[in-house]
C-alpha cells in the first residue's frame, strides 16, 4: 500500500526529494514517517509528520531534511538537501493507516528506495 520513489545516485551536495504514495483502502492516515538503513547500521527514524502536520526530526538531519505531505494525494515527501556520502542508505517510508471505520491504526511500510551519494 506504500510506494516509495525518488532515490538514485546523487552527487554530494545534491537535493533529491523522496515520495511515498499511500494507495488502497484508506479510512484515515495518522503519522507518516521516513526511515533509513545504512550498511552495517540499524534502521533509524529520520522524520515524522503527524495528521496535524507537526514534524519531528532526528538531530543529525535537522535543518537538512524536510518532511511534508499532501493529504489530497495521500503522499508524504522527504526533501533532502546538501547530501553527504554518509547519507547513503535505503530509505523507507511508513504510515499509520486505518483501513475502515471499525479498525484501528496499523503501521504499513514501503519497499524502500536506495539513495547513493557519491563524493
Amino acid at each position: 500500500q506504500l510506494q516509495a520513489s525518488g532515490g538514485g545516485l546523487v552527487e554530494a551536495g545534491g537535493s533529491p526529494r523522496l515520495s511515498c504514495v499511500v494507495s488502497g483502502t484508506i479510512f484515515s492516515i495518522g503519522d507518516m514517517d521516513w526511515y533509513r538503513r545504512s550498511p552495517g547500521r540499524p534502521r533509524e527514524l529520520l522524520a515524522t509528520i503527524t495528521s496535524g502536520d507537526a514534524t519531528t526530526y532526528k538531530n543529525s538531519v535537522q535543518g537538512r531534511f524536510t518532511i511534508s505531505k499532501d493529504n489530497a494525494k495521500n503522499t508524504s515527501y522527504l526533501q533532502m538537501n546538501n547530501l553527504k556520502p554518509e547519507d547513503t542508505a535505503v530509505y523507507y517510508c511508513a504510515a499509520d493507516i486505518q483501513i475502515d471505520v471499525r479498525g484501528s491504526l496499523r503501521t504499513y511500510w514501503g519497499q524502500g528506495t536506495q539513495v547513493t551519494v557519491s563524493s
Side-chain angles (χ1 to χ4, degrees), residues 50-98:
T50 70
S51 57
D53 293 335
T55 58
T56 57
Y57 296 92
K58 182 179 176 64
N59 285 343
S60 62
V61 303
Q62 177 87 46
R64 291 194 302 129
F65 292 6
T66 302
I67 190 170
S68 62
K69 63 187 174 83
D70 184 331
N71 292 326
K73 297 180 179 180
N74 291 329
T75 299
S76 71
Y77 304 97
L78 185 69
Q79 176 66 51
M80 304 187 292
N81 296 325
N82 191 25
L83 283 184
K84 307 171 184 178
E86 52 264 41
D87 292 315
T88 294
V90 179
Y91 286 72
Y92 298 89
C93 59
D96 295 334
I97 301 170
Q98 182 180 358

Side-chain angles (χ1 to χ4, degrees), residues 6-10 16 18 80 83 85 87-91 113-117:
L9 179 63
V10 182
L18 306 182
M80 304 187 292
L83 283 184
D87 292 315
T88 294
V90 179
Y91 286 72
T113 184
Q114 174 73 45
V115 175
T116 302
V117 184

Side-chain angles (χ1 to χ4, degrees), residues 4 33-37 43 90-94 109-113:
D33 311 299
W34 282 93
Y35 291 78
R36 71 184 178 192
R37 175 172 281 159
R43 184 179 63 200
V90 179
Y91 286 72
Y92 298 89
C93 59
W109 291 85
Q111 84 287 2
T113 184

